[in-house]
Amino acid sequence: MRFSLNFINEFIKVEMPAEKLASSLTMAGMEVEHFEKIGSDWVFDIEVTSNRYDWLSMIGIAREIAACMHKRFIIKYPQIIKKPLIKERAIFIENSKDCPLYIARSIRNVNVKEPPDIIRERIVNCGVNTINNIVDITNYCMLTWGNPLHAFDEDKLEGNIYVRRAKNGERFIGIDDKERVLSCGNLVIADEKKVIALAGVMGAKNTEVSRQTKNIFLEAAIFSPVTIRRSRRLACLDTDSSYRFERKVFGDYLECASMAASNLIEKIAQGTLAGYREAGKKTAHTQKKLTISLSSLQNYLGDTFPKNKVTRILTSLDFKVKTIGVDILKVTVPAFRLDIEREVDIYEEFIRIYGYDNITAKLPFLLEQKPKISNYHFKNELKYFLTTLGLKEIITYSICADKELEKAGFSKPVKLTNPLRLQENALRPSLLLGMMACVRYNINRAQENIRFFELANVYQHKDGSFCEDATLSLGVSLSRDSFSYLKGVVEELLKYLNISSWTLQEKSAPNFTSALSIVAGNQPVGSLGKLDESVKKEFELKEDLFFAQLDISCLLSARRRKLYKAFSPYPVINRDISIAFRYDIKFKEIEKIIRGSQAYIVDLRIVNTYEGKDLPKGYQAFTIRLFYQSSDKTLTSEEVDNLNTQIRNKLLEAEGVILR
Amino acid sequence: MEKEIIALEEEFKQDSHSAITQQDLEALRIKYLGRKSALASLFTRLPTLSKEEKITFGRRLNVLKNQITAALEEKTKGARGSEAPVDLTFPSSDIQRGSLHVLTQVSLELCTIFEKLGFCVTEGTEIEDEWHNFTALNIPLEHPSRDAFDTFYLDIPEGSENCGKFLLRSHTSPSQIRIMHDSKPPLAVISPGRVYRPDQVDASHSFMFHQIEGFAVDTGITFAHLKGVLLHFAREFFSSDVNLRFRPHFFPFTEPSAEVDISCFACSGKRPQTTDQRPKQESQKCSVCKGKGWLEILGCGMIHPNVLTACGISAKKYKGFAFGMGVERPAMLKYGINDIRLFFENDIRFLEQF
């Protein structure tokens, strides 16, 4: 909303520099976003919050400025003439809920021409286009009083005027020359034959005031904010008029706006007021009276204020204040303040003028509260833990394209009913897509050593409702050993959480060449694996991706308290075994032979992978390091050699295994 | 033999002078004390000498051996630690550090500041319904105040609880409603999380971003407490000398409501130029606050009695304050990040800077 200082000066003399005015209005809640000098005028662009319909008029803004300057503001109301009655046509309102009151003035023999400079300058500086003297006068009066007006070419009206809902499929060409198909969600003004306006939003082309117009039918009305909002949304329109109706308009000024416009048309366009007609009635408003106590005001805001200060500020905002006893104030709310409903609204009115910044800041003593169930800290702990392993956290979008999800085999995701774009029309049921996108992005920018994790929610339809589960994903793409790295991270995580009896079980999974199910107790908590070649191709990944996904609440419930476990004080002795075995033999089987034979082996690791020409075809070769330790004695070198020989012999017995 | 001993003494003195490294000293030890050293060969000649000479030269040789040993020991103590000097100009190894996303870091930092004041942290769900996202927050369904909260709706069938359509929450305030609904005051809670709005993506807009909601409800909570808590937060998070400015504003769920600006921590708001009408050269203006001197960072207010009532809390007995702020904006301000899309591209070159 823009206002012109010269315009305001017609109502109240502003005696402060523009800069000072801008800052004091801003600090009183009328935020000045921008202001500039245009010719001899200062133009202010203000943000009007949705509760302050009254600031959409010069009268309202002038009143606010008066309060900031601690001045009293007095409005000059025009003398209202309601005679003679318009006899040519009657006005019918279909539903008083849509339109409680409609008034019209007929002004004859006008001269439609250029507007006088002063009118044009006022409205243009307030951001309204100039059209001709008649239209500009209606806008001038709308800007003054806040009530939108519309002027029809009276000679183009056919018969009675109706305020009614549009018929489905009814067509309307606005003064913007665009045709719109209406429905019963639109409120229209119509005559016997045609629609002449989209009520409260825009006039129709067919009755527009032009240079040939001689007689004017001037409309002023109260429309339901909800009806206008729905109607203009259906028509994809947002006009100065609908903007005001949506935020309510003040009924008391309706006659003033109409009368003032009529007077100006007489004066400027040489017309004559020839008639008046109204339909419906003004909604009577009871004077709102609120009782507030000074002590509750102070308890609410947390500071002390002298009573006379409170009284003075409220009075400057047109509230009537009556003091009862030491503490009680009886406050009468001015009729134009439709937004004031209860005590706290009065507190705000006082404090915004008194100045929020004048309240002394204090820290509260917060009392102990009942603990809240939350996995917030657990998730943070996981994040920290994963960074200690060298992984980087990523944050990717929760919304993705259903087509992409389908490509990855995820069907029936939760969908957005009003997506902005097709790329973002569904909620992800897995973190895989986000991980792939992020890995692809980095690989395409020649980044290496990809070790990512994300902790976010996944969403799914479930039993006619939905589920939203916190989930951890891991994505690894290294130049070598990606899988053992990822498996190591998962194992470290399970160990860190002290989850008892977890296992990694081979399984087949869509999107993965080979996959492991992560099982804690008997419950699967997630899976890991190598992304399938076809998926890789589909999503244009240039490198292999190893991916794991784990459910946070499963991890949290499987987590066990850590207790110190004594470790053996006796030394660890290691021996290496160089081994080759056929590709069809799983390492698991080798490990079973090694571990199965005796109890002193505490760990084993692969320390070397051998790829020589001397290997038989179809064999892979490793050096396995075995770690021997006893919990109750020091093992001698001979004992260990002995044990190691036993293992070697057992390995030799196995088919497809060669020792080197 | 006398001459040979003296010559050996001299030779050692000179050699030991130039020996600096451990390696040099080891060579010296082998040369003078080793099995094949001149000293050793002199010792082997002792048995061929006369009895008196044996005593004299034997003593002389032993003294020399001790001298050399002592000298070498002394030298070894002072010698450089390594055998060969390290070329310190070699490049460092490629250390791969794990890192939290900068938004997580900022969110954690913000939450921790409030946790230290006694707030506890809980998260709400991202899928919400109209009642929690709007109605309970005193935002009527058909009202212009909803324009500020454009929202994504979801194809989940409406539930039986009369909570309206399901949607992606457009702010973190619904978690305030859930907590107030489910637990009794006193309450002091922080609730961070993702929120969604149908905004076209550009350098400063994203359809997904993060917010932090905070609120406290008790019998004695006042607007002054809201100011105190937020001032404490701003000074902890930005810098100890920032100031706050509370501007009256309108939010349906708070009364009174305010928008809060911090004084620009880059230019300290020393030259607020809102009053200056001549267009300034862009380069002359502070790049952080664009010359305004103030940066808008959050919205807040006293919880509207209608909201307390909707959650089953007596508005007569209890009062509360609430505030909500974005996470991206303070992160961008703090680290000079100029494009919101950087957060969600996850370029390693971006991630590894934090």
PDB file of all heavy atoms in Angstrom, chain A residues 229 299 342 348 356 359 369 393 398 417-418 442 459 468, chain B residues 99 104 115 126-127 147 151 153 188 196 227 257 306 319 348:
ATOM      1  N   ARG A 229     -13.134 -13.170  -1.415  1.00  0.00           N
ATOM      2  CA  ARG A 229     -11.857 -13.888  -1.471  1.00  0.00           C
ATOM      3  C   ARG A 229     -11.964 -15.110  -2.372  1.00  0.00           C
ATOM      4  O   ARG A 229     -11.122 -15.343  -3.238  1.00  0.00           O
ATOM      5  CB  ARG A 229     -11.457 -14.294  -0.060  1.00  0.00           C
ATOM      6  CG  ARG A 229     -10.110 -14.971   0.036  1.00  0.00           C
ATOM      7  CD  ARG A 229      -9.768 -15.171   1.501  1.00  0.00           C
ATOM      8  NE  ARG A 229      -8.714 -16.166   1.665  1.00  0.00           N
ATOM      9  CZ  ARG A 229      -7.434 -15.908   1.495  1.00  0.00           C
ATOM     10  NH1 ARG A 229      -7.045 -14.695   1.151  1.00  0.00           N
ATOM     11  NH2 ARG A 229      -6.532 -16.843   1.649  1.00  0.00           N
ATOM     12  N   ASN A 299       1.396  -7.062  34.342  1.00  0.00           N
ATOM     13  CA  ASN A 299       1.804  -8.457  34.479  1.00  0.00           C
ATOM     14  C   ASN A 299       2.000  -9.121  33.131  1.00  0.00           C
ATOM     15  O   ASN A 299       2.784 -10.048  32.996  1.00  0.00           O
ATOM     16  CB  ASN A 299       0.739  -9.248  35.251  1.00  0.00           C
ATOM     17  CG  ASN A 299       0.773  -8.907  36.715  1.00  0.00           C
ATOM     18  OD1 ASN A 299       1.793  -8.419  37.219  1.00  0.00           O
ATOM     19  ND2 ASN A 299      -0.335  -9.137  37.399  1.00  0.00           N
ATOM     20  N   ARG A 342     -10.412  -8.221  22.462  1.00  0.00           N
ATOM     21  CA  ARG A 342     -10.217  -8.589  23.867  1.00  0.00           C
ATOM     22  C   ARG A 342      -9.087  -7.792  24.500  1.00  0.00           C
ATOM     23  O   ARG A 342      -8.423  -7.011  23.834  1.00  0.00           O
ATOM     24  CB  ARG A 342     -10.002 -10.086  24.004  1.00  0.00           C
ATOM     25  CG  ARG A 342      -8.974 -10.646  23.021  1.00  0.00           C
ATOM     26  CD  ARG A 342      -9.154 -12.122  22.838  1.00  0.00           C
ATOM     27  NE  ARG A 342      -9.166 -12.777  24.135  1.00  0.00           N
ATOM     28  CZ  ARG A 342      -9.527 -14.027  24.320  1.00  0.00           C
ATOM     29  NH1 ARG A 342      -9.908 -14.756  23.295  1.00  0.00           N
ATOM     30  NH2 ARG A 342      -9.498 -14.552  25.521  1.00  0.00           N
ATOM     31  N   GLU A 348      -1.752  -4.563  23.250  1.00  0.00           N
ATOM     32  CA  GLU A 348      -0.884  -4.339  22.099  1.00  0.00           C
ATOM     33  C   GLU A 348      -0.984  -2.895  21.602  1.00  0.00           C
ATOM     34  O   GLU A 348       0.017  -2.276  21.270  1.00  0.00           O
ATOM     35  CB  GLU A 348      -1.213  -5.295  20.951  1.00  0.00           C
ATOM     36  CG  GLU A 348      -0.297  -5.043  19.751  1.00  0.00           C
ATOM     37  CD  GLU A 348      -0.485  -6.033  18.611  1.00  0.00           C
ATOM     38  OE1 GLU A 348      -1.501  -5.935  17.894  1.00  0.00           O
ATOM     39  OE2 GLU A 348       0.384  -6.894  18.431  1.00  0.00           O
ATOM     40  N   TYR A 356       7.817  -0.938  22.060  1.00  0.00           N
ATOM     41  CA  TYR A 356       8.298  -2.250  22.542  1.00  0.00           C
ATOM     42  C   TYR A 356       9.697  -2.111  23.132  1.00  0.00           C
ATOM     43  O   TYR A 356      10.060  -2.777  24.086  1.00  0.00           O
ATOM     44  CB  TYR A 356       8.373  -3.249  21.373  1.00  0.00           C
ATOM     45  CG  TYR A 356       7.056  -3.818  20.901  1.00  0.00           C
ATOM     46  CD1 TYR A 356       5.848  -3.302  21.320  1.00  0.00           C
ATOM     47  CD2 TYR A 356       7.039  -4.899  20.028  1.00  0.00           C
ATOM     48  CE1 TYR A 356       4.653  -3.835  20.864  1.00  0.00           C
ATOM     49  CE2 TYR A 356       5.852  -5.441  19.574  1.00  0.00           C
ATOM     50  CZ  TYR A 356       4.660  -4.911  19.985  1.00  0.00           C
ATOM     51  OH  TYR A 356       3.494  -5.444  19.541  1.00  0.00           O
ATOM     52  N   ILE A 359      10.403  -1.473  26.927  1.00  0.00           N
ATOM     53  CA  ILE A 359      10.221  -2.478  27.976  1.00  0.00           C
ATOM     54  C   ILE A 359      11.589  -3.057  28.325  1.00  0.00           C
ATOM     55  O   ILE A 359      12.371  -3.391  27.434  1.00  0.00           O
ATOM     56  CB  ILE A 359       9.296  -3.622  27.494  1.00  0.00           C
ATOM     57  CG1 ILE A 359       7.899  -3.077  27.219  1.00  0.00           C
ATOM     58  CG2 ILE A 359       9.234  -4.742  28.526  1.00  0.00           C
ATOM     59  CD1 ILE A 359       6.943  -4.135  26.712  1.00  0.00           C
ATOM     60  N   GLN A 369      10.216 -28.879  33.957  1.00  0.00           N
ATOM     61  CA  GLN A 369       9.065 -29.426  33.258  1.00  0.00           C
ATOM     62  C   GLN A 369       9.215 -30.921  33.088  1.00  0.00           C
ATOM     63  O   GLN A 369      10.307 -31.460  33.191  1.00  0.00           O
ATOM     64  CB  GLN A 369       8.898 -28.737  31.912  1.00  0.00           C
ATOM     65  CG  GLN A 369      10.201 -28.489  31.183  1.00  0.00           C
ATOM     66  CD  GLN A 369      10.004 -27.757  29.872  1.00  0.00           C
ATOM     67  OE1 GLN A 369       8.942 -27.764  29.297  1.00  0.00           O
ATOM     68  NE2 GLN A 369      11.055 -27.132  29.395  1.00  0.00           N
ATOM     69  N   GLU A 393      27.761 -34.907   6.314  1.00  0.00           N
ATOM     70  CA  GLU A 393      26.302 -34.884   6.306  1.00  0.00           C
ATOM     71  C   GLU A 393      25.780 -34.100   5.110  1.00  0.00           C
ATOM     72  O   GLU A 393      26.296 -33.034   4.781  1.00  0.00           O
ATOM     73  CB  GLU A 393      25.775 -34.238   7.591  1.00  0.00           C
ATOM     74  CG  GLU A 393      24.264 -34.358   7.697  1.00  0.00           C
ATOM     75  CD  GLU A 393      23.635 -33.490   8.781  1.00  0.00           C
ATOM     76  OE1 GLU A 393      24.339 -32.629   9.355  1.00  0.00           O
ATOM     77  OE2 GLU A 393      22.448 -33.663   9.037  1.00  0.00           O
ATOM     78  N   SER A 398      12.975 -33.339   0.609  1.00  0.00           N
ATOM     79  CA  SER A 398      12.040 -34.413   0.961  1.00  0.00           C
ATOM     80  C   SER A 398      11.032 -34.649  -0.153  1.00  0.00           C
ATOM     81  O   SER A 398      10.344 -35.661  -0.164  1.00  0.00           O
ATOM     82  CB  SER A 398      11.241 -34.050   2.207  1.00  0.00           C
ATOM     83  OG  SER A 398      12.024 -33.394   3.138  1.00  0.00           O
ATOM     84  N   THR A 417      -1.115 -32.556  -3.684  1.00  0.00           N
ATOM     85  CA  THR A 417      -2.263 -32.306  -4.546  1.00  0.00           C
ATOM     86  C   THR A 417      -2.116 -30.983  -5.287  1.00  0.00           C
ATOM     87  O   THR A 417      -2.789 -30.756  -6.275  1.00  0.00           O
ATOM     88  CB  THR A 417      -3.572 -32.300  -3.738  1.00  0.00           C
ATOM     89  OG1 THR A 417      -3.440 -31.345  -2.688  1.00  0.00           O
ATOM     90  CG2 THR A 417      -3.850 -33.658  -3.136  1.00  0.00           C
ATOM     91  N   ASN A 418      -1.257 -30.097  -4.794  1.00  0.00           N
ATOM     92  CA  ASN A 418      -1.046 -28.819  -5.487  1.00  0.00           C
ATOM     93  C   ASN A 418       0.444 -28.554  -5.682  1.00  0.00           C
ATOM     94  O   ASN A 418       0.988 -27.582  -5.171  1.00  0.00           O
ATOM     95  CB  ASN A 418      -1.680 -27.677  -4.688  1.00  0.00           C
ATOM     96  CG  ASN A 418      -1.129 -27.581  -3.282  1.00  0.00           C
ATOM     97  OD1 ASN A 418      -0.637 -28.569  -2.726  1.00  0.00           O
ATOM     98  ND2 ASN A 418      -1.188 -26.409  -2.692  1.00  0.00           N
ATOM     99  N   ASN A 442      28.147 -34.494  -7.284  1.00  0.00           N
ATOM    100  CA  ASN A 442      29.553 -34.356  -6.919  1.00  0.00           C
ATOM    101  C   ASN A 442      30.489 -35.092  -7.865  1.00  0.00           C
ATOM    102  O   ASN A 442      31.556 -34.582  -8.209  1.00  0.00           O
ATOM    103  CB  ASN A 442      29.769 -34.812  -5.474  1.00  0.00           C
ATOM    104  CG  ASN A 442      29.396 -33.726  -4.485  1.00  0.00           C
ATOM    105  OD1 ASN A 442      30.106 -32.735  -4.349  1.00  0.00           O
ATOM    106  ND2 ASN A 442      28.250 -33.885  -3.842  1.00  0.00           N
ATOM    107  N   TYR A 459       8.327 -40.939   4.115  1.00  0.00           N
ATOM    108  CA  TYR A 459       6.870 -40.854   4.284  1.00  0.00           C
ATOM    109  C   TYR A 459       6.186 -41.914   3.436  1.00  0.00           C
ATOM    110  O   TYR A 459       6.612 -42.185   2.308  1.00  0.00           O
ATOM    111  CB  TYR A 459       6.375 -39.474   3.852  1.00  0.00           C
ATOM    112  CG  TYR A 459       7.320 -38.347   4.210  1.00  0.00           C
ATOM    113  CD1 TYR A 459       8.422 -38.080   3.392  1.00  0.00           C
ATOM    114  CD2 TYR A 459       7.148 -37.586   5.352  1.00  0.00           C
ATOM    115  CE1 TYR A 459       9.319 -37.062   3.711  1.00  0.00           C
ATOM    116  CE2 TYR A 459       8.029 -36.564   5.673  1.00  0.00           C
ATOM    117  CZ  TYR A 459       9.108 -36.304   4.852  1.00  0.00           C
ATOM    118  OH  TYR A 459       9.988 -35.311   5.161  1.00  0.00           O
ATOM    119  N   GLU A 468       5.485 -41.434   8.998  1.00  0.00           N
ATOM    120  CA  GLU A 468       6.618 -40.533   8.764  1.00  0.00           C
ATOM    121  C   GLU A 468       7.724 -41.000   9.694  1.00  0.00           C
ATOM    122  O   GLU A 468       7.588 -40.891  10.912  1.00  0.00           O
ATOM    123  CB  GLU A 468       6.187 -39.096   9.103  1.00  0.00           C
ATOM    124  CG  GLU A 468       7.280 -38.078   8.945  1.00  0.00           C
ATOM    125  CD  GLU A 468       6.819 -36.652   9.297  1.00  0.00           C
ATOM    126  OE1 GLU A 468       5.639 -36.318   9.093  1.00  0.00           O
ATOM    127  OE2 GLU A 468       7.653 -35.894   9.796  1.00  0.00           O
TER     128      GLU A 468
ATOM    129  N   SER B  99      31.912 -34.162   8.541  1.00  0.00           N
ATOM    130  CA  SER B  99      31.385 -32.857   8.943  1.00  0.00           C
ATOM    131  C   SER B  99      29.871 -32.879   9.023  1.00  0.00           C
ATOM    132  O   SER B  99      29.212 -33.611   8.293  1.00  0.00           O
ATOM    133  CB  SER B  99      31.830 -31.794   7.945  1.00  0.00           C
ATOM    134  OG  SER B  99      31.353 -32.121   6.660  1.00  0.00           O
ATOM    135  N   THR B 104      22.704 -28.043  10.069  1.00  0.00           N
ATOM    136  CA  THR B 104      22.644 -28.802  11.322  1.00  0.00           C
ATOM    137  C   THR B 104      23.458 -28.083  12.392  1.00  0.00           C
ATOM    138  O   THR B 104      23.027 -27.953  13.539  1.00  0.00           O
ATOM    139  CB  THR B 104      23.200 -30.225  11.108  1.00  0.00           C
ATOM    140  OG1 THR B 104      22.419 -30.864  10.119  1.00  0.00           O
ATOM    141  CG2 THR B 104      23.164 -31.022  12.392  1.00  0.00           C
ATOM    142  N   GLU B 115      18.556 -24.383  25.164  1.00  0.00           N
ATOM    143  CA  GLU B 115      18.606 -25.488  26.130  1.00  0.00           C
ATOM    144  C   GLU B 115      19.307 -25.054  27.413  1.00  0.00           C
ATOM    145  O   GLU B 115      18.911 -25.432  28.507  1.00  0.00           O
ATOM    146  CB  GLU B 115      19.334 -26.690  25.520  1.00  0.00           C
ATOM    147  CG  GLU B 115      18.447 -27.544  24.635  1.00  0.00           C
ATOM    148  CD  GLU B 115      19.171 -28.781  24.119  1.00  0.00           C
ATOM    149  OE1 GLU B 115      19.993 -28.644  23.190  1.00  0.00           O
ATOM    150  OE2 GLU B 115      18.925 -29.863  24.644  1.00  0.00           O
ATOM    151  N   GLU B 126       6.375 -33.541  10.091  1.00  0.00           N
ATOM    152  CA  GLU B 126       6.306 -32.638   8.941  1.00  0.00           C
ATOM    153  C   GLU B 126       4.961 -32.730   8.247  1.00  0.00           C
ATOM    154  O   GLU B 126       4.472 -31.769   7.682  1.00  0.00           O
ATOM    155  CB  GLU B 126       7.443 -32.966   7.968  1.00  0.00           C
ATOM    156  CG  GLU B 126       8.802 -32.632   8.569  1.00  0.00           C
ATOM    157  CD  GLU B 126       9.947 -33.283   7.817  1.00  0.00           C
ATOM    158  OE1 GLU B 126       9.872 -33.423   6.595  1.00  0.00           O
ATOM    159  OE2 GLU B 126      10.924 -33.682   8.488  1.00  0.00           O
ATOM    160  N   ILE B 127       4.359 -33.925   8.278  1.00  0.00           N
ATOM    161  CA  ILE B 127       3.000 -34.049   7.750  1.00  0.00           C
ATOM    162  C   ILE B 127       2.063 -33.603   8.867  1.00  0.00           C
ATOM    163  O   ILE B 127       2.125 -34.101   9.988  1.00  0.00           O
ATOM    164  CB  ILE B 127       2.683 -35.493   7.315  1.00  0.00           C
ATOM    165  CG1 ILE B 127       3.595 -35.906   6.154  1.00  0.00           C
ATOM    166  CG2 ILE B 127       1.208 -35.625   6.930  1.00  0.00           C
ATOM    167  CD1 ILE B 127       3.373 -37.316   5.648  1.00  0.00           C
ATOM    168  N   ASP B 147      -2.762 -16.012   3.542  1.00  0.00           N
ATOM    169  CA  ASP B 147      -1.962 -15.789   2.335  1.00  0.00           C
ATOM    170  C   ASP B 147      -0.474 -15.912   2.610  1.00  0.00           C
ATOM    171  O   ASP B 147       0.301 -16.285   1.746  1.00  0.00           O
ATOM    172  CB  ASP B 147      -2.256 -14.403   1.741  1.00  0.00           C
ATOM    173  CG  ASP B 147      -3.627 -14.370   1.084  1.00  0.00           C
ATOM    174  OD1 ASP B 147      -4.249 -15.445   0.985  1.00  0.00           O
ATOM    175  OD2 ASP B 147      -4.064 -13.281   0.691  1.00  0.00           O
ATOM    176  N   THR B 151       0.575 -23.316   1.177  1.00  0.00           N
ATOM    177  CA  THR B 151       0.859 -24.631   1.732  1.00  0.00           C
ATOM    178  C   THR B 151       0.681 -25.735   0.698  1.00  0.00           C
ATOM    179  O   THR B 151      -0.206 -25.662  -0.144  1.00  0.00           O
ATOM    180  CB  THR B 151      -0.117 -24.880   2.907  1.00  0.00           C
ATOM    181  OG1 THR B 151       0.011 -23.801   3.811  1.00  0.00           O
ATOM    182  CG2 THR B 151       0.185 -26.173   3.636  1.00  0.00           C
ATOM    183  N   TYR B 153      -0.637 -29.332  -0.089  1.00  0.00           N
ATOM    184  CA  TYR B 153      -1.587 -30.316   0.457  1.00  0.00           C
ATOM    185  C   TYR B 153      -1.239 -31.712  -0.040  1.00  0.00           C
ATOM    186  O   TYR B 153      -0.596 -31.873  -1.078  1.00  0.00           O
ATOM    187  CB  TYR B 153      -3.010 -29.932   0.067  1.00  0.00           C
ATOM    188  CG  TYR B 153      -3.525 -28.787   0.910  1.00  0.00           C
ATOM    189  CD1 TYR B 153      -3.279 -27.462   0.559  1.00  0.00           C
ATOM    190  CD2 TYR B 153      -4.201 -29.045   2.106  1.00  0.00           C
ATOM    191  CE1 TYR B 153      -3.714 -26.424   1.356  1.00  0.00           C
ATOM    192  CE2 TYR B 153      -4.645 -28.010   2.904  1.00  0.00           C
ATOM    193  CZ  TYR B 153      -4.400 -26.693   2.524  1.00  0.00           C
ATOM    194  OH  TYR B 153      -4.824 -25.672   3.328  1.00  0.00           O
ATOM    195  N   ALA B 188       8.629 -25.013  28.384  1.00  0.00           N
ATOM    196  CA  ALA B 188       9.618 -24.173  27.692  1.00  0.00           C
ATOM    197  C   ALA B 188      10.271 -25.084  26.681  1.00  0.00           C
ATOM    198  O   ALA B 188      11.045 -25.965  27.036  1.00  0.00           O
ATOM    199  CB  ALA B 188      10.646 -23.618  28.670  1.00  0.00           C
ATOM    200  N   TYR B 196       7.739 -26.439   4.632  1.00  0.00           N
ATOM    201  CA  TYR B 196       7.571 -26.440   3.180  1.00  0.00           C
ATOM    202  C   TYR B 196       6.581 -25.374   2.736  1.00  0.00           C
ATOM    203  O   TYR B 196       5.527 -25.208   3.357  1.00  0.00           O
ATOM    204  CB  TYR B 196       7.062 -27.810   2.728  1.00  0.00           C
ATOM    205  CG  TYR B 196       7.936 -28.945   3.205  1.00  0.00           C
ATOM    206  CD1 TYR B 196       7.760 -29.501   4.472  1.00  0.00           C
ATOM    207  CD2 TYR B 196       8.955 -29.442   2.407  1.00  0.00           C
ATOM    208  CE1 TYR B 196       8.580 -30.522   4.932  1.00  0.00           C
ATOM    209  CE2 TYR B 196       9.776 -30.465   2.847  1.00  0.00           C
ATOM    210  CZ  TYR B 196       9.575 -31.005   4.115  1.00  0.00           C
ATOM    211  OH  TYR B 196      10.398 -32.015   4.565  1.00  0.00           O
ATOM    212  N   LYS B 227      11.612 -10.653  25.481  1.00  0.00           N
ATOM    213  CA  LYS B 227      12.706  -9.788  25.065  1.00  0.00           C
ATOM    214  C   LYS B 227      14.036 -10.271  25.623  1.00  0.00           C
ATOM    215  O   LYS B 227      15.047 -10.312  24.916  1.00  0.00           O
ATOM    216  CB  LYS B 227      12.450  -8.341  25.530  1.00  0.00           C
ATOM    217  CG  LYS B 227      11.400  -7.618  24.725  1.00  0.00           C
ATOM    218  CD  LYS B 227      11.361  -6.135  25.053  1.00  0.00           C
ATOM    219  CE  LYS B 227      12.623  -5.427  24.595  1.00  0.00           C
ATOM    220  NZ  LYS B 227      12.569  -3.972  24.827  1.00  0.00           N
ATOM    221  N   SER B 257       2.254  -8.872  18.962  1.00  0.00           N
ATOM    222  CA  SER B 257       3.204  -9.549  18.086  1.00  0.00           C
ATOM    223  C   SER B 257       4.317  -8.589  17.702  1.00  0.00           C
ATOM    224  O   SER B 257       4.118  -7.381  17.701  1.00  0.00           O
ATOM    225  CB  SER B 257       2.513  -9.997  16.801  1.00  0.00           C
ATOM    226  OG  SER B 257       1.362 -10.748  17.068  1.00  0.00           O
ATOM    227  N   ASN B 306      -6.598 -17.254  22.396  1.00  0.00           N
ATOM    228  CA  ASN B 306      -7.355 -18.244  21.614  1.00  0.00           C
ATOM    229  C   ASN B 306      -6.539 -19.506  21.360  1.00  0.00           C
ATOM    230  O   ASN B 306      -7.071 -20.605  21.278  1.00  0.00           O
ATOM    231  CB  ASN B 306      -7.755 -17.669  20.247  1.00  0.00           C
ATOM    232  CG  ASN B 306      -8.833 -16.613  20.373  1.00  0.00           C
ATOM    233  OD1 ASN B 306      -9.351 -16.387  21.462  1.00  0.00           O
ATOM    234  ND2 ASN B 306      -9.151 -15.964  19.267  1.00  0.00           N
ATOM    235  N   LYS B 319       0.117 -17.634  30.844  1.00  0.00           N
ATOM    236  CA  LYS B 319       0.515 -16.773  29.730  1.00  0.00           C
ATOM    237  C   LYS B 319       1.730 -17.409  29.083  1.00  0.00           C
ATOM    238  O   LYS B 319       2.410 -18.239  29.693  1.00  0.00           O
ATOM    239  CB  LYS B 319       0.912 -15.382  30.253  1.00  0.00           C
ATOM    240  CG  LYS B 319      -0.255 -14.592  30.808  1.00  0.00           C
ATOM    241  CD  LYS B 319       0.211 -13.300  31.457  1.00  0.00           C
ATOM    242  CE  LYS B 319       0.974 -13.570  32.738  1.00  0.00           C
ATOM    243  NZ  LYS B 319       1.627 -12.392  33.282  1.00  0.00           N
ATOM    244  N   ILE B 348      30.627 -30.998  -2.242  1.00  0.00           N
ATOM    245  CA  ILE B 348      31.647 -31.278  -1.222  1.00  0.00           C
ATOM    246  C   ILE B 348      32.466 -30.028  -0.921  1.00  0.00           C
ATOM    247  O   ILE B 348      32.812 -29.760   0.227  1.00  0.00           O
ATOM    248  CB  ILE B 348      32.580 -32.437  -1.667  1.00  0.00           C
ATOM    249  CG1 ILE B 348      31.789 -33.747  -1.667  1.00  0.00           C
ATOM    250  CG2 ILE B 348      33.793 -32.552  -0.754  1.00  0.00           C
ATOM    251  CD1 ILE B 348      32.600 -34.970  -2.013  1.00  0.00           C
TER     252      ILE B 348
END
